[in-house]
Amino acid sequence: MLSTVLLLLSPLGWRIDIPDQYWIKQTFLALLLVVIFYINMLVVVPKILLKGKPILYITIIIIAAVCFVGLLIYFEELLGLPELMFKAFNPDKPYKPGPRRISGDVFNSLLFFLSIGISTSVASVQKWQKDEALRREMDKQRINTELSYLKAQINPHFFFNTLNNIYSLTNLDVKKAQEALLKLSRMMRYVLYENQKDETLLKKEVNFIQDYIELMKMRLTGNVKLNISIDEPKEDLVLAPMLLLPFLENSFKHGISSQKECEIKIKLEVMGQTLFFETRNNIFPVHSDSPEAKENGIGMVNTQRRLALLYPEKHRLKFGKDEANNEYWVNLTINLA
């Protein structure tokens, strides 16, 4: 479009009878600029400039500019254009060959470098867009790989703790242990089928949490008080599966004592499309002989990382110790929109 305006439309304002050879030369110039544009954009810039060879690129452009101007001069002479244009502007004067006007060659050189500049910019932007798309795709693949790895760690971590709880029950109450195994089988179905998905219905996650709590109740003594408040979520809300489990595990792992009075608070509230989850429990040291004492807190670390990957800028996680009340608290807010 730009070459059309500069080469074909502007001469119309000269108010002279322009020879046909001039329009042939202008059309040739326009086509030549188009060819230069695409050769530079598709070949020279990607294969030379963007490959880290700027000196070679500049050398090629300078040589191409000289050849471009030389080709135009040859084409004009071939058409006899200098004499024809002189007669068009000076019909009453005889033509005498003289020195060539440099201004025309300078103008053509500017057109050449304008075409080169625009095509180089287009090629650079396309390369940047391609690199950016590739980077986003690689980031997506990296995140998916990392999430798959984190999920793979959650399953054995969860079953390790649950089976250990059931093992403890077998020494105390066989019937309760059998009931616990039935609940565990239902939970396993959730883990096997829902945890393979990126998202699951929040309602299913809540049912899983409630089954887990019921399972934990079977091993609690009378001095442990549970304060549970869980809202019934909407049907259409979704959440990453088993995202809340590590917080519950930590509450039952560190908040239970067989001798002292203790309380575990679990609250799940849904307001609109925002999930509020909170746990609070007393802090008791884990027995040195228990398997939990040998763990490295992998569940909490994984959950923090999953939250960062799955809900960037859409979650807020706070946790800490209330030294005055000897309590550990967790407060999680997730925007599920």
Side-chain angles (χ1 to χ4, degrees), residues 5-19 21-23 25-26 76 81 84-86 88-89 101 104 107-108:
V5 173
L6 292 174
L7 303 177
L8 301 180
L9 297 184
S10 57
L12 296 177
W14 289 351
R15 297 181 180 179
I16 63 171
D17 187 14
I18 301 174
Q21 288 83 348
Y22 176 83
W23 295 114
K25 176 255 182 180
Q26 292 296 88
E76 289 178 2
L81 198 57
L84 293 172
M85 292 302 294
F86 180 84
F89 280 98
R101 293 180 60 186
F107 179 74
N108 290 334

Side-chain angles (χ1 to χ4, degrees), residues 172-278:
L172 302 174
D173 192 326
V174 175
K175 186 176 180 180
K176 279 190 175 182
Q178 292 173 340
E179 294 175 4
L181 283 173
L182 289 175
K183 284 195 173 291
L184 180 60
S185 66
R186 187 166 67 180
M187 296 170 71
M188 281 184 65
R189 282 194 294 270
Y190 177 86
V191 173
L192 289 174
Y193 295 108
E194 299 300 323
N195 197 40
Q196 306 306 316
K197 305 175 184 177
D198 294 331
E199 292 179 328
T200 186
L201 289 173
L202 179 58
K203 184 175 182 179
K204 292 184 178 181
E205 180 77 3
V206 168
N207 291 337
F208 177 80
I209 289 173
Q210 290 172 330
D211 282 343
Y212 179 82
I213 293 173
E214 290 299 317
L215 190 62
M216 293 299 101
K217 284 181 180 180
M218 295 181 178
R219 59 173 289 197
L220 300 181
T221 58
N223 61 320
V224 180
K225 179 183 177 183
L226 291 181
N227 188 340
I228 310 295
S229 176
I230 298 179
D231 282 358
E232 184 71 21
K234 295 180 180 178
E235 294 289 339
D236 58 341
L237 291 179
V238 294
L239 179 75
M242 297 185 70
L243 191 64
L244 306 178
L245 178 65
F247 303 119
L248 295 174
E249 287 185 314
N250 279 352
S251 294
F252 285 98
K253 171 182 170 183
H254 298 285
I256 295 176
S257 171
S258 58
Q259 299 174 346
K260 299 180 180 180
E261 294 289 328
C262 52
E263 182 179 13
I264 295 177
K265 298 178 181 178
I266 299 170
K267 182 178 181 181
L268 189 151
E269 185 178 4
V270 180
M271 296 182 62
Q273 294 185 312
T274 302
L275 170 69
F276 300 93
F277 182 74
E278 180 182 0

Side-chain angles (χ1 to χ4, degrees), residues 18-183:
I18 301 174
D20 294 339
Q21 288 83 348
Y22 176 83
W23 295 114
I24 294 173
K25 176 255 182 180
Q26 292 296 88
T27 303
F28 174 75
L29 176 56
L31 293 174
L32 192 59
L33 288 173
V34 171
V35 171
I36 290 170
F37 180 94
Y38 283 104
I39 289 177
N40 183 62
M41 182 182 73
L42 300 176
V43 180
V44 183
V45 173
K47 294 186 178 298
I48 297 177
L49 181 60
L50 298 180
K51 294 294 184 181
K53 301 175 183 178
I55 303 300
L56 177 60
Y57 176 77
I58 293 173
T59 302
I60 291 175
I61 295 303
I62 292 174
I63 294 174
V66 173
C67 294
F68 172 78
V69 174
L71 181 60
L72 288 178
I73 293 174
Y74 173 78
F75 194 74
E76 289 178 2
E77 294 294 336
L78 187 65
L79 294 174
L81 198 57
E83 182 178 354
L84 293 172
M85 292 302 294
F86 180 84
K87 291 180 178 180
F89 280 98
N90 306 279
D92 299 329
K93 294 181 181 181
Y95 173 70
K96 293 181 180 180
R100 183 178 177 82
R101 293 180 60 186
I102 303 299
S103 59
D105 296 333
V106 171
F107 179 74
N108 290 334
S109 298
L110 292 176
L111 289 178
F112 172 85
F113 286 110
L114 179 63
S115 178
I116 290 294
I118 294 175
S119 61
T120 300
S121 300
V122 172
S124 300
V125 170
Q126 288 179 341
K127 177 65 164 56
W128 176 83
Q129 291 175 335
K130 183 178 179 181
D131 290 346
E132 182 67 15
L134 180 61
R135 185 191 64 79
R136 287 197 296 266
E137 181 63 25
M138 291 178 66
D139 285 345
K140 182 180 178 180
Q141 293 296 329
R142 178 185 59 79
I143 290 173
N144 289 338
T145 301
E146 187 172 352
L147 285 172
S148 297
Y149 173 72
L150 294 176
K151 281 184 179 181
Q153 287 184 311
I154 288 175
N155 287 353
H157 181 262
F158 161 70
F159 286 118
F160 172 81
N161 285 341
T162 306
L163 289 173
N164 181 65
N165 293 336
I166 295 175
Y167 173 76
S168 301
L169 279 175
T170 58
N171 297 323
L172 302 174
D173 192 326
V174 175
K175 186 176 180 180
K176 279 190 175 182
Q178 292 173 340
E179 294 175 4
L181 283 173
L182 289 175
K183 284 195 173 291

